[in-house]
Structures are given as structure tokens and as C-alpha cells.
Amino acid sequence: MRRPGTIKILENDSPPMMFNAGDGFHYEKLPAGTRVIYPPGPVEPIAEPGVAIERALLEPMEMEPLHDLLFPGMKLTIGFDDISLPIPPMQPPDIRQMIIEKVVEKARARGVEDIHIIAALGLHRRMTEAELRHALGKGLMSAYYPDRLYNYDAEDPDGNVQIGETDQGEEVTVSRRVAESDLLVYVNINHVAMNGGHKSVHTGLSPYASIRHNHTPDTLSNTKSLMDPKNSAMHGSFNRMGAIFDEHVKVFHIETTLNNSAFPPVFDFMAKPEHEWGALTKANFLVNHKATQAMPLPAARKVFHSIRAPHRMTSIQAGSTDPVHEETLKHVYHQQLVPVEGQADVLLMGVPFVGPYNVNSIMNPMLVYNILLGYLFNLYKGKPLVRQGGVLIGTHPMPNDFNEVHHPSYIDLWNEVYPQTNDIREIAHKYEKRYAEDPWYRTLYRNSHAYHGVHPFTVLYWAAHALDHLGGVILVGGDPMTTARMGLKRADTIAEALEMSKDIVGPSPSTTYMHVPPLFMVEVS
């Protein structure tokens, strides 16, 4: 049985709280009366994942068994989630490898020879050969890479095709290989509730021509919870596109969920409530805390990005996209959902070292903004944990630091646009089209390991709902220049930030610390 989420009300003698703060930590005593919400413990994993995979392929939901869909001479395409999840990356063997090996084994047994395996990048950067090998293993790489195992290319002029348009004028364009396949098998990891379902294809195997319809400030403003698809305008767009797509392409969707065993023993303090720390755990934290403070930033970053999570599979379901995804969400919520009474005036959250867009890379200022105001703020089902007009306080140094290979258009946006405006709607109106169509960014996306030219725009738009909802955002430890340029306030300590928040929410605010990671969600009554 998993340990349910723990809710503690701090007292005067409660220990200091640990906060993730990028490639390091923040450690500070919080006021008595602060509510701290800890994640649930890991759900018990499936004892025999190989058996569970086989059963899912033999007993799919509202479709024939996989082997009945396979035949000689067919075109079979297997799409899979890219490096953006899970985070941190899994210890091998990755669940994608185990599933795809089983699908390929069945296909070969049925005489299928035309098999392509595609990393569903969308507008993300191309995975390196080493990253592909980590996700899929040596066997698949030696058999299929690079001719039949490759990264999706959203800018291949001949490699994408429009197959329809929704009743709201949204263009449905996908990989030509996918559109011309007899069967698409999509292998998904539902790391959080917003992933999976029709989103997998229409962000992973679709170009900007389609993505531009649902990654907009207005759509994200009307997405009242990214982690609650029924209240998400973005997911409404994906579902409309999916209905068109399903008329043209047969899809066998395989979705998995993982438990939240996110850290190996040396970093176990990240997942353990402070009041449960023994002498060894506390010493382990303090050693890591002091070491990351003392070492050069690139060295600290290397330590954190070497973490491989002992995630284990808790469910697998296969078949038709909609029923599969409905079952998947039940398992995600079982692992992650914590019931909470009442919203807070002030919400505290630590920003971790890694997000979907800086794996083996650098979390630049725009990505910190995206994680705090997009992903972390949206970790709820129903209504936000912080009230309308409340304050969000995050901990991160937000250094003026960028990966020149991965984020070239971010650098130009930062230097060209942000000195003039940080208003996301103005940025969208004046600059998005030019960055999206820039030939140099297209070249870097296709031939290097750069995110698409328009990608920094999409990550900024994730913040739209939070910006509408919140009365203020304060970054503890943030670089003065970067926080000001991003339109955020800053403080040196949480105590200082809490004092600042009183100017917005009043003199006696209720304060909640949502203790992530590991990732979890709240449902506020």
C-alpha cells in the first residue's frame, strides 16, 4: 500500500524546510502555522512488467489484439515519447524499450518487415544517439538506427501532410510516414495527467502548422487546469484533432504510468518529509547542500543531471485512444492526487533542477518561468491551491545562462525582445511568426540539437492562466536582472518574500508549502 500524502501544520519547533532551487537547495525555517503538503509515497509497482505488457497487447481496450492487426506487407510505425519525460530519466531498462521490443517481436512473427520507430519530438530538440540508446536499448538501436529509428522532423517539407481540418478551423497535419501507415502504435509514458491521449500525436508527430492552434496565450488562458483535461481548452483542441486523425489512421495506443520513486538513495532526502529525517538523512542533505553551494555551477549541474530515477511501472493499458487514456488517468490520480481543504493566500514551491525542456541541459530564465508558472502552478485538479489574487513564491537562482546548442532562439528572444517587453500576448503578436519561419532556426532544429525556433514562445504561453489568476509572483534567490526582465519580483529569503506578499494579500496570510518533487497534484475542496 502506498503512503498517502501527508499534510503538516508547522509549529515553532518544527525543523527547517528543504526547497529545491535549481542546481542546488534552499533551506529555511518557515513560520508556525504554515501548511506543508507532502507527496504520496510510491504506489506498489507491477511485479512482472513483461507479463503485464503481454497481457495489454493481447487484451486491448475496444480493439483487436495487436497480433491480429499485423500482416505481411503492411507499413507499421511505432511512435514513442521523447526525452522530455520521465524526469529524471529512468534507470535502465526504460519502459519504452521493453514495450517496443515486444511490439517488434510480434510484428516480425507476423511477417512485418516495413517497421519505422520514431521519437515523437514535435518542436523539441532531436535526441542524441546516446539518449536514444538509453531509452530504447542496444538491440533496437543496432537493428533500426538510423534509417528506420529516427527523430521526427517537423520541418521536413515532404515529410508532413495535412489530413483534415476541425470544425474550428484547426489544421490537422502529421508525419507523412504516420499518415500513410496501416497502423500506428504509440508508446506513451504518462508522467503527469496532462500527457497522453490525443496530445501524444498532435504535439509529438505534428508540425507547427497544427501546434500553433493550441499553443496560444488565449488557449492556455482558458486552460483552467493543465492536469485536468476536462477543464483544459488545450486538450479540447487535441481531442478535436484526434477525431479527424482517427478517421484516417488506425492507432493502437499503449499508455503506461510510473510510481514516484524519483530519486536514488543518495538523494532520498528529496522525497522524505523533514520530520522523518534521521541523523543520516539530515547529514546526507547537508553534505549535498554545502557541496552544491561550493562547487562551480557546471559541476553542480552535472551532478544533478547524472541522476537516474528508479521509477517502476504501475499500470499499462492498450487499445483505442480514449478508453485507454481514461484508464491511465485513474492510475495517475491514484499515485499523485492529494485531497486538500481550502485554498491558500500564499503558495510556496521549490523549482527543481530539471524540467521537460532542459534534460542534459540548462534551465534558462524562460524555462524557470515555464516550470513555476506553467507546470508547478497547474499541479491541481479542479481549482488552484492558491486563491484568486494570491501570491506564488518559488525558489530558484534564475541565472542568466543558456545552452547555445539547445536553445538558440531562446537566446535571441531574450536579447532582442525581452529588453522591450515581457507581455506574452504582445510577444506572440509581434514576433511568433517570424521566429517560427526563420530559416536559420529551421536549419538548427533539423541538423543540430536545437529546439524549434518557435519553442520559447510556446513555453511562455504555459504561464497564461497563472498570470490571470495570481496577484503576484516572487522568486527567492533569483538574479536581480533576470527576474526583473521576466516581470517577477525577487527576495533573498522566504521570510522576506512572505513580508512582501502581505502588500498583496493582507497582513495575516494563510501560507501553504507544496513540497515537490516528487511530482504530485492536489484536489482542493
Side-chain angles (χ1 to χ4, degrees):
M1 295 290 292
R2 69 165 187 162
R3 172 183 61 78
T6 304
I7 299 177
K8 291 276 293 183
I9 304 299
L10 297 184
E11 300 176 353
N12 288 325
D13 60 351
S14 294
M17 294 288 107
M18 181 213 78
F19 290 75
N20 281 264
D23 301 300
F25 304 98
H26 185 87
Y27 193 49
E28 185 172 345
K29 194 171 178 64
L30 300 183
T34 301
R35 178 176 60 174
V36 181
I37 308 173
Y38 291 98
V43 168
E44 190 68 23
I46 293 173
E48 299 184 61
V51 173
I53 293 168
E54 183 69 35
R55 183 179 295 116
L57 302 185
L58 286 173
E59 301 173 0
M61 305 176 76
E62 299 184 19
M63 285 189 77
E64 307 94 321
L66 178 61
H67 63 265
D68 287 344
L69 301 174
L70 303 170
F71 55 88
M74 74 179 297
K75 275 188 175 183
L76 171 64
T77 299
I78 303 169
F80 66 94
D81 286 343
D82 73 344
I83 196 174
S84 61
L85 51 86
I87 47 177
M90 294 182 69
Q91 294 176 0
D94 191 292
I95 193 62
R96 288 164 289 200
Q97 173 187 339
M98 298 173 67
I99 294 169
I100 294 173
E101 285 177 344
K102 182 63 71 173
V103 172
V104 168
E105 176 187 312
K106 288 183 176 295
R108 286 173 169 170
R110 299 287 287 181
V112 181
E113 296 181 353
D114 189 351
I115 303 172
H116 283 213
I117 305 172
I118 306 177
L121 309 172
L123 304 181
H124 300 170
R125 69 169 175 86
R126 294 165 63 245
M127 293 174 69
T128 67
E129 183 177 346
E131 289 166 344
L132 288 167
R133 183 174 290 106
H134 179 82
L136 299 186
K138 295 179 181 178
L140 290 169
M141 286 291 287
S142 63
Y144 291 95
Y145 182 82
D147 297 329
R148 292 184 294 157
L149 194 169
Y150 50 87
N151 293 296
Y152 168 69
D153 186 348
E155 288 294 343
D156 182 348
D158 301 316
N160 295 282
V161 59
Q162 182 175 350
I163 60 173
E165 189 175 285
T166 72
D167 58 5
Q168 295 194 22
E170 298 150 316
E171 180 181 327
V172 183
T173 298
V174 297
S175 154
R176 183 178 295 276
R177 167 71 196 193
V178 168
E180 295 176 352
S181 292
D182 296 290
L183 179 67
L184 169 65
V185 175
Y186 195 98
V187 180
N188 165 265
I189 298 175
N190 257 76
H191 192 54
V192 290
M194 78 168 192
N195 294 330
H198 293 291
K199 178 178 181 291
S200 297
V201 169
H202 299 291
T203 57
L205 296 168
S206 293
Y208 173 68
S210 284
I211 292 172
R212 65 188 174 93
H213 293 289
N214 40 57
H215 285 64
T216 72
D218 288 343
T219 300
L220 271 301
S221 181
N222 289 313
T223 295
K224 300 310 179 185
S225 174
L226 281 166
M227 306 301 169
D228 188 3
K230 292 181 180 178
N231 290 317
S232 166
M234 172 181 274
H235 286 84
S237 176
F238 296 142
N239 293 339
R240 290 188 295 272
M241 291 181 172
I244 301 294
F245 181 74
D246 286 349
E247 294 174 1
H248 293 80
V249 181
K250 194 173 190 67
V251 184
F252 189 91
H253 212 107
I254 306 171
E255 294 198 341
T256 63
T257 56
L258 303 173
N259 65 16
N260 64 356
S261 293
F263 302 105
V266 70
F267 291 104
D268 68 342
F269 55 83
M270 289 200 203
K272 186 179 293 185
E274 284 85 351
H275 60 272
E276 296 180 4
W277 287 8
L280 183 61
T281 300
K282 185 173 182 179
N284 188 24
F285 163 70
L286 291 173
V287 167
N288 278 279
H289 183 29
K290 291 179 180 179
T292 53
Q293 285 181 316
M295 67 178 61
L297 181 57
R301 188 172 289 143
K302 187 174 182 179
V303 169
F304 279 100
H305 282 273
S306 70
I307 294 174
R308 294 293 176 262
H311 293 302
R312 297 284 300 281
M313 185 170 71
T314 60
S315 78
I316 178 169
Q317 35 281 327
S320 182
T321 302
D322 289 326
V324 164
H325 192 53
E326 184 176 350
E327 181 66 20
T328 298
L329 288 176
K330 294 177 184 177
H331 290 279
V332 173
Y333 292 143
H334 177 61
Q335 170 63 89
Q336 297 186 0
L337 202 60
V338 177
V340 175
E341 291 186 11
Q343 294 175 300
D345 296 316
V346 178
L347 176 61
L348 304 169
M349 303 188 85
V351 181
F353 68 95
V354 66
Y357 315 126
N358 76 306
V359 177
N360 301 323
S361 189
I362 296 170
M363 189 178 287
N364 63 55
M366 283 177 271
L367 292 180
V368 177
Y369 184 87
N370 167 261
I371 292 296
L372 181 60
L373 293 173
Y375 283 87
L376 297 181
F377 169 82
N378 277 283
L379 288 173
Y380 66 87
K381 183 181 181 186
K383 59 184 178 182
L385 183 54
V386 60
R387 69 164 172 85
Q388 181 81 36
V391 173
L392 177 62
I393 299 174
T395 53
H396 196 284
M398 196 184 264
N400 184 19
D401 199 3
F402 292 79
N403 187 305
E404 294 182 358
V405 174
H406 294 168
H407 301 124
S409 63
Y410 281 75
I411 296 172
D412 291 344
L413 188 68
W414 179 249
N415 291 321
E416 175 190 16
V417 176
Y418 265 87
Q420 303 176 52
T421 181
N422 55 34
D423 182 278
I424 60 173
R425 284 178 168 80
E426 183 179 354
I427 290 172
H429 176 71
K430 289 184 176 180
Y431 300 99
E432 179 182 312
K433 188 174 188 292
R434 173 158 65 85
Y435 274 65
E437 297 175 353
D438 185 277
W440 180 236
Y441 298 145
R442 284 175 167 169
T443 298
L444 294 176
Y445 164 82
R446 298 193 68 193
N447 299 292
S448 180
H449 293 280
Y451 282 83
H452 194 280
V454 81
H455 194 260
F457 293 81
T458 67
V459 303
L460 294 173
Y461 303 160
W462 288 103
H465 176 42
L467 294 174
D468 292 343
H469 182 84
L470 295 168
V473 184
I474 305 170
L475 199 64
V476 173
D479 177 275
M481 184 276 285
T482 62
T483 50
R485 187 175 283 193
M486 292 302 305
L488 309 179
K489 298 178 181 179
R490 72 167 303 280
D492 290 319
T493 65
I494 290 173
E496 181 185 350
L498 290 173
E499 281 299 312
M500 293 168 61
S501 72
K502 293 177 183 179
D503 294 335
I504 300 171
V505 298
S508 301
S510 60
T511 303
T512 294
Y513 172 28
M514 190 171 175
H515 204 300
V516 294
L519 292 177
F520 70 102
M521 299 169 54
V522 295
E523 186 168 29
V524 184
S525 59

